[in-house]
Amino acid sequence: MRNIFAVAGVVMKELYRRKDFYVLFIVTILICVVMASINIYNDANVVRYLKEISLDLIWLCSLVIAVTTTARQIPAERENRTLMPLLAKPLTRAELILGKFLGCWLACGLALLCFYVFFGALAASREHDLRLLNYVQAAAMHWFMLGIIVALSLLGSLVFAAPSSNATICFVIIGGILFVGRHLDQQALKLHEPIRTVVYVLYFIIPHLEFYDMRDLVIHNWPLVAWKYIGLALGYGAFYMGVFLIGSCLVFHRKPVN
Amino acid sequence: MTTILQTEKLRVEYRSREMRQGTKLALRGLDLEVGAGEVFGFLGPNGAGKTTTMNVLLGFVPPTSGSASLFGIDVRQPIARQRIGYLPELTYYYKFLTAEELLRFYAKIFGLSRAITDQRIPELLKLVELESAAKRPIKSYSKGMQQRVGLAQALINDPDLLILDEPTSGLDPLGRMKVREIIQRLKNEGKTVFFSSHELGEVESVCDRVAIIHQGELKALGPVAEITGTHANLEKAFLEIVGFQMQPAS
């Protein structure tokens, strides 16, 4: 664990010192501020639209941060030749992968925390009401979804050599899962065998990221979701993170370092 | 004398990227044994298999057949690298870190306590003359300074075996002298140094024994004086061993 935390610490330090990370962060906050300051016709429902748009921006930004930062981790180590002095130490490749994952996931978590705190404060100032637990549930689910995405991008970075191609493929997969994945079972019913089975299998093996979309809970101030379902969803996310990380370790184990 | 580094019938084959070429044999049954306290020079022309041997010793490349061990532990086990320091030929480190942060990171990986780390880092920075630049990011360092950071990181765990891949490559004469001094100092402390170099004069001055490798095969192994034999110097002996024919001046 010591080595994993040491690697994670360096990953976080790098992200903290990289300017592009800040650019995304500042742009999102600025947009949120602008959106929150608009008040059309003094309509109370406008706050909900503003919340929705702000949350969409937070989702988009967190997704970009998660994929772009993770996609370059291992390729950058290879390209900058920092991998050799690192693996010449008593550090296993699995520890390196887990450290990279943990660093990226924690960094995404910190960014998310800032986003939600900022957004929550803005929304509360407009609505004069703060449903803290709604934000906690939404943020926790969002963070676990980013965990799945970080693990998936890490696996992709070991399969595809260029970070740009990996990031593009990851965005396509994640977009596909978010927009199409939930409808695959219904689509399968309209198809003939054997395509139907293939689509069904696909429906059951993909991680259903839409489970983690709890924006409506925050936007409409709906009642809390039962914690046992939140727990199940987090367990489901942890399972997929584990699957992708084991896959990453197996792929990386067979790769020559030089 | 305790054996620190050993390879037995070490063979490494690389799959060629061009299908017609099939496989490329990088090492052909290499047998080496380096004892405790030795300064061992590993020589050979470019492409001879020196870096491949080091890559196997560091667990970067798996051997096709044969075995390699450090301190009697198979090199594939990470614990074999607990007591070694490694300086690659081209040193690149995390440029966003300062030298002090980099050394602290590597110290953590070696499991050094905070007290030992706090004591060791200033010592090493002093040794490589980087005290004044310790808090500057590595991206602002010159090539020579980066090489010196590399040397410091290789020594962070006070290693019993130091593996150096062309440590003086790209250094100015002062830098080279400094590296030689450090190797000599480590030798006096009873540490084992295994290094490859094209600077044969340097090898002659610091090494106890040398091995000459050519096209993946061991061509000569023994004390410097024995290898040099009747030749004027190690360079002349090396050229003869690798089959280089000197052209008479016209």
Side-chain angles (χ1 to χ4, degrees):
Chain A
M1 282 310 277
R2 182 194 68 221
N3 288 351
I4 295 171
F5 283 116
V7 174
V10 168
V11 170
M12 289 184 67
K13 208 166 267 180
E14 185 198 2
L15 299 181
Y16 171 74
R17 288 178 184 173
R18 274 182 72 103
K19 289 187 176 65
D20 53 353
F21 187 72
Y22 286 110
V23 169
L24 272 174
F25 195 69
I26 291 164
V27 166
T28 310
I29 288 176
L30 277 177
I31 294 169
C32 284
V33 170
V34 172
M35 298 306 290
S37 66
I38 300 168
N39 195 354
I40 307 165
Y41 307 120
N42 287 326
D43 185 350
N45 283 331
V46 169
V47 176
R48 286 188 186 166
Y49 293 115
L50 297 180
K51 279 169 82 176
E52 188 166 1
I53 293 166
S54 299
L55 269 176
D56 286 348
L57 285 167
I58 291 174
W59 263 64
L60 187 69
C61 242
S62 62
L63 199 67
V64 171
I65 289 174
V67 174
T68 54
T69 54
T70 313
R72 66 157 188 269
Q73 288 299 320
I74 301 288
E77 289 271 1
R78 282 178 180 280
E79 200 181 307
N80 300 334
R81 301 178 70 102
T82 48
L83 196 57
M84 290 171 85
L86 187 57
L87 288 178
K89 311 277 181 289
L91 175 83
T92 64
R93 294 183 187 205
E95 283 172 335
L96 179 65
I97 290 287
L98 293 176
K100 292 282 182 192
F101 165 76
L102 188 65
C104 291
W105 192 32
L106 287 177
C108 288
L110 279 176
L112 214 55
L113 186 70
C114 295
F115 285 147
Y116 272 91
V117 167
F118 187 77
F119 167 71
L122 275 176
S125 71
R126 306 285 308 216
E127 289 183 317
H128 308 292
D129 178 23
L130 178 64
R131 308 246 175 140
L132 191 64
L133 285 178
N134 285 28
Y135 284 93
V136 170
Q137 282 195 341
M141 292 288 271
H142 193 165
W143 188 45
F144 263 68
M145 186 199 72
L146 291 182
I148 300 173
I149 291 169
V150 166
L152 176 71
S153 307
L154 203 55
L155 176 61
S157 73
L158 294 163
V159 177
F160 308 105
S164 55
S165 59
N166 176 33
T168 309
I169 290 165
C170 284
F171 280 127
V172 170
I173 291 173
I174 293 159
I177 291 173
L178 280 171
F179 295 111
V180 183
R182 69 179 81 182
H183 306 298
L184 281 178
D185 57 336
Q186 289 147 29
Q187 292 305 313
L189 290 172
K190 297 174 192 167
L191 299 168
H192 297 288
E193 290 294 351
I195 307 289
R196 174 186 287 192
T197 310
V198 172
V199 174
Y200 258 127
V201 168
L202 194 64
Y203 176 75
F204 284 107
I205 62 167
I206 59 167
H208 284 273
L209 301 177
E210 71 274 10
F211 291 170
Y212 300 89
D213 184 359
M214 294 184 71
R215 281 175 290 180
D216 285 344
L217 183 82
V218 174
I219 295 166
H220 302 290
N221 294 329
W222 284 347
L224 285 176
V225 175
W227 286 100
K228 65 177 177 184
Y229 296 119
I230 298 286
L232 279 173
L234 300 188
Y236 175 83
F239 168 76
Y240 272 98
M241 284 182 231
V243 168
F244 291 136
L245 288 174
I246 290 169
S248 304
C249 291
L250 291 174
V251 173
F252 193 40
H253 185 72
R254 288 174 10 196
K255 289 230 172 208
V257 175
N258 54 336
Chain B
M1 189 164 54
T2 320
T3 302
I4 297 284
L5 181 158
Q6 191 171 27
T7 66
E8 278 181 295
K9 296 185 173 48
L10 192 64
R11 189 181 165 90
V12 175
E13 277 179 19
Y14 286 120
R15 205 176 292 165
S16 176
R17 288 184 187 184
E18 288 170 34
M19 291 297 282
R20 275 176 296 177
Q21 286 182 11
T23 55
K24 187 191 168 216
L25 211 52
L27 290 176
R28 304 158 191 258
L30 184 70
D31 287 309
L32 278 181
E33 212 173 296
V34 179
E38 265 192 294
V39 176
F40 193 93
F42 194 47
L43 315 176
N46 287 334
K50 302 186 298 294
T51 301
T52 301
T53 308
M54 291 195 174
N55 285 345
V56 172
L57 290 171
L58 294 159
F60 298 161
V61 173
T64 309
S65 64
S67 65
S69 63
L70 299 172
F71 305 98
I73 304 167
D74 190 310
V75 291
R76 283 171 292 191
Q77 295 183 35
I79 194 71
R81 302 192 285 275
Q82 184 66 38
R83 288 160 64 193
I84 67 162
Y86 167 62
L87 177 68
E89 181 187 354
L90 299 166
T91 54
Y92 294 101
Y93 301 99
Y94 298 111
K95 296 203 161 126
F96 53 90
L97 294 181
T98 64
E100 197 181 308
E101 285 170 338
L102 184 85
L103 294 178
R104 204 166 282 282
F105 167 55
Y106 287 144
K108 264 188 205 166
I109 288 180
F110 278 110
L112 303 186
S113 69
R114 186 177 281 266
I116 292 174
T117 307
D118 287 344
Q119 184 199 334
R120 190 106 183 102
I121 289 174
E123 278 174 13
L124 286 172
L125 290 171
K126 190 178 173 190
L127 179 75
V128 297
E129 293 168 5
L130 281 176
E131 296 149 293
S132 57
K135 302 226 185 274
R136 264 170 47 198
I138 293 173
K139 66 181 169 201
S140 67
Y141 286 10
S142 67
K143 192 179 176 187
M145 287 165 89
Q146 289 190 27
Q147 191 82 359
R148 281 185 276 153
V149 173
L151 201 54
Q153 66 81 29
L155 297 169
I156 187 72
N157 58 330
D158 192 17
D160 291 321
L161 167 66
L162 200 63
I163 297 177
L164 311 171
D165 192 0
E166 298 184 29
T168 53
S169 137
L171 288 184
D172 61 16
L174 271 173
R176 286 176 188 203
M177 195 183 75
K178 192 77 202 168
V179 171
R180 271 201 300 274
E181 267 178 32
I182 290 171
I183 293 174
Q184 196 61 50
R185 209 185 94 164
L186 291 166
K187 183 182 175 178
N188 296 341
E189 288 174 11
K191 310 279 187 190
T192 311
V193 182
F194 180 83
F195 80 106
S196 72
S197 180
H198 288 301
E199 299 291 329
L200 299 186
E202 180 181 282
V203 171
E204 210 167 355
S205 66
V206 295
C207 286
D208 299 314
R209 284 200 306 150
V210 294
I212 298 175
I213 179 176
H214 184 43
Q215 291 174 342
E217 268 182 279
L218 188 66
K219 296 288 184 188
L221 173 70
V224 177
E226 197 179 287
I227 300 277
T228 307
T230 54
H231 296 87
N233 55 34
L234 185 62
E235 189 176 319
K236 293 234 164 42
F238 173 83
L239 291 173
E240 194 188 298
I241 289 166
V242 299
F244 182 80
Q245 299 291 322
M246 294 283 272
Q247 297 293 320
S250 54

